[in-house]
Amino acid sequence: MEQLHAQSANVTVVSQERWCYPDLCNPYNCKPDPECRPHGCRPSRLNEDYQLLKPATFAWLEITPSCTLKCKHCYVASMPGLGHGKMKFEDWICVLDHLHEHGCATIQFIGGEPTIHPHFCELVEYAAQLSFQIEVYSNLTGITSRMWSLFVEHDVHLACSFYSDDATIHDEITDTQGSFDKTLANIKRALTVGLTLRVGMINMQKGQRITEGMALLQSLGVSNVGFDRIRGVGRGSAIAPEDPVDALCGACANGKCAITATGEVYPCVFARSFPVGNVLNQKMSDILQCSALVATREMFTKAFEARQVI
C-alpha cells in the first residue's frame, strides 16, 4: 500500500540519486525539496521540528491486513482471506477518540484494503464527526456507491498506487488479473466527482513504463503523482532486502504513528520492527507519551542524522 514519499506536481520522475528533506513533508502530500531521493534522507538537526515528545498529528489506521490484491512488494504482505485482525469496531472508535483528544488532525485509513473492512463506512463517518481530515489509501478496485457518496459528503481524500500504462504489467505486479481496468476506471470516477486524488508509482522492475504511466495519469487530470522505490518491508523484503531503519524515509520521528489491526502501534507503517505499544492493553494516550516511543524516535533521529550525503 502506502509507499508514496516523493511527489511531483508536474508529473516528472524524481531522480533516486537525490536527497529528501522530511521536515518539509506533510501527511497527505510529501512535497520535499525538488532535489529528493526517496532512498534516503539528508541528515537533519535534532531541533524543535523533531521534538521527541511531539504528539502525533497524523495517524495511519491500518484497519485490516486483508486485500483484494496480492501485490509483489506489499509491506503488510496482504492478500485475500486474512481476516480483519483483533481490533473490534469499538476499539477503533476508542482509538479515534483518543487521537482526537490529543490533537491529531489527520488520519489515513489503510490496509490491506481498508474498504473491505465490514465497518469501513461507519469508521469514516465517525472520523468525519470528529472533524478529522481523512484520506483513504485504496487500490480503488471495489468502491461502492455508498462509499462514493460518503467520500463526496465528507471531502475525503483518496490515494492509490498505479504501476504502468500497460495493463499486463500492472496486473502482473498486483498478481490480480483485471486490477488495472478497475483501478483506472475509479481513478477517472474520482476525478469526475471532484475528489482530491493522489496516485503513487513504485519503481518495481525494468520495462515497467513508469514515464508512460505518469503521462497517462497526467492526461486524465491527475496532478498529484508520486514516485517511490520498493521498501524492504513485508513482501518487499524478498525483492529489496535492507536494514529496517534504511527502509524508512526519515520522517518517523516527526509527529506520526500507525495503529494496526492487531492493536500494535508503530512510529510509521514501515517501522514494523519497532513496536511501541498495543492499544488492546494500553491507552492510546499513554502510548503517545511512553518511554518506548520517545526512545524509538530518538534512535530514528540519530540514525537519520548519521546518513551521509553522497
Side-chain angles (χ1 to χ4, degrees), residues 12 102-103 105:
T12 301
H102 284 80

Side-chain angles (χ1 to χ4, degrees), residues 61-115:
L61 303 187
E62 192 179 285
I63 60 177
T64 179
S66 290
C67 188
T68 51
L69 308 181
K70 296 168 284 185
C71 298
K72 292 180 177 180
H73 60 293
C74 180
Y75 75 90
V76 191
S78 296
M79 64 178 69
L82 295 181
H84 302 295
K86 299 178 181 179
M87 293 280 285
K88 298 178 182 178
F89 174 69
E90 295 77 12
D91 297 322
W92 284 117
I93 292 297
C94 186
V95 166
L96 286 168
D97 285 338
H98 286 166
L99 288 171
H100 179 254
E101 291 169 6
H102 284 80
C104 181
T106 307
I107 60 171
Q108 181 191 87
F109 288 103
I110 194 171
E113 173 50 43
T115 64

Side-chain angles (χ1 to χ4, degrees), residues 198-240:
R198 66 185 180 97
V199 181
M201 298 199 72
I202 300 167
N203 187 11
M204 293 285 300
Q205 59 195 39
K206 292 182 179 180
Q208 190 177 332
R209 295 176 58 85
I210 287 179
T211 301
E212 292 85 353
M214 287 185 161
L216 171 60
L217 294 169
Q218 184 181 36
S219 72
L220 296 174
V222 181
S223 60
N224 190 342
V225 179
F227 175 82
D228 199 5
R229 65 182 180 91
I230 299 173
R231 304 280 170 170
V233 183
R235 281 198 291 268
S237 63
I239 304 171

Side-chain angles (χ1 to χ4, degrees), residues 129-150:
Q129 291 175 21
L130 295 178
S131 300
F132 281 108
Q133 297 176 47
I134 303 168
E135 183 178 70
V136 174
Y137 205 109
S138 167
N139 58 42
L140 296 184
T141 62
I143 308 300
T144 66
S145 297
R146 181 186 178 189
M147 291 174 191
W148 285 119
S149 298
L150 195 65

Side-chain angles (χ1 to χ4, degrees), residues 164-174 176-181:
S164 177
D165 69 323
D166 186 311
T168 301
I169 296 173
H170 181 100
D171 290 356
E172 178 190 358
I173 291 171
T174 65
T176 309
Q177 187 172 3
S179 61
F180 174 88
D181 291 335

